[in-house]
Amino acid sequence: MSAEFNSVKIEGTFCKMSPSLVKIDGKLTGETSIPCARCGQEETVTLNEDINFILSDGIYKSTSEEDDLIIEIENSLINFDEIIESEISSIQSDYYICSECENSDFVEKEY
């Protein structure tokens, strides 16, 4: 399986676990821009992230502890653009410091 959205690509394998569950093991690759948490300047970063999740056709009812992310879909329609966009948003929401701020002598103090 392979899909691409805004120069970010997801590649991986499907494994059917039940009539309504599919496990996906893959890799998220490409480039995306991330704003610096300190100065706000956008910097392009290269992605090379392993991703593992389970797709559930309808509401997922857990029967045991799961380590994987569960994504609920409707009508057996998988929208990989939405999945990639969600993963990019998750990465962009992390605390990121650009290379310029990382190398500066600026120190934040909390009072």
Side-chain angles (χ1 to χ4, degrees), residues 4-111:
E4 188 169 343
F5 177 77
N6 287 348
S7 77
V8 176
K9 189 178 203 178
I10 186 173
E11 292 181 301
T13 58
F14 280 94
C15 177
K16 192 168 185 173
M17 299 170 62
S18 74
S20 63
L21 295 177
V22 174
K23 181 173 177 77
I24 296 181
D25 294 318
K27 190 170 275 299
L28 194 67
T29 57
E31 292 185 342
T32 190
S33 60
I34 296 178
C36 175
R38 189 174 287 161
C39 70
Q41 185 73 16
E42 297 234 341
E43 193 169 276
T44 301
V45 295
T46 301
L47 302 175
N48 190 17
E49 305 282 326
D50 289 327
I51 55 173
N52 302 300
F53 53 89
I54 295 173
L55 296 176
S56 173
D57 190 10
I59 296 173
Y60 178 75
K61 294 181 178 146
S62 177
T63 56
S64 65
E65 295 282 329
E66 294 286 341
D67 289 338
D68 293 324
L69 173 68
I70 309 297
I71 299 175
E72 295 176 349
I73 60 173
E74 294 180 7
N75 302 323
S76 302
L77 297 174
I78 302 170
N79 187 336
F80 282 105
D81 287 351
E82 284 182 8
I83 292 171
I84 294 171
E85 191 173 10
S86 174
E87 290 296 314
I88 292 171
S89 293
S90 178
I91 291 167
Q92 289 174 336
S93 70
D94 284 345
Y95 188 81
Y96 176 78
I97 300 293
C98 70
S99 56
E100 210 170 295
C101 289
E102 194 173 79
N103 295 326
S104 74
D105 291 335
F106 179 76
V107 177
E108 291 183 22
K109 291 186 179 181
E110 195 171 309
Y111 295 97

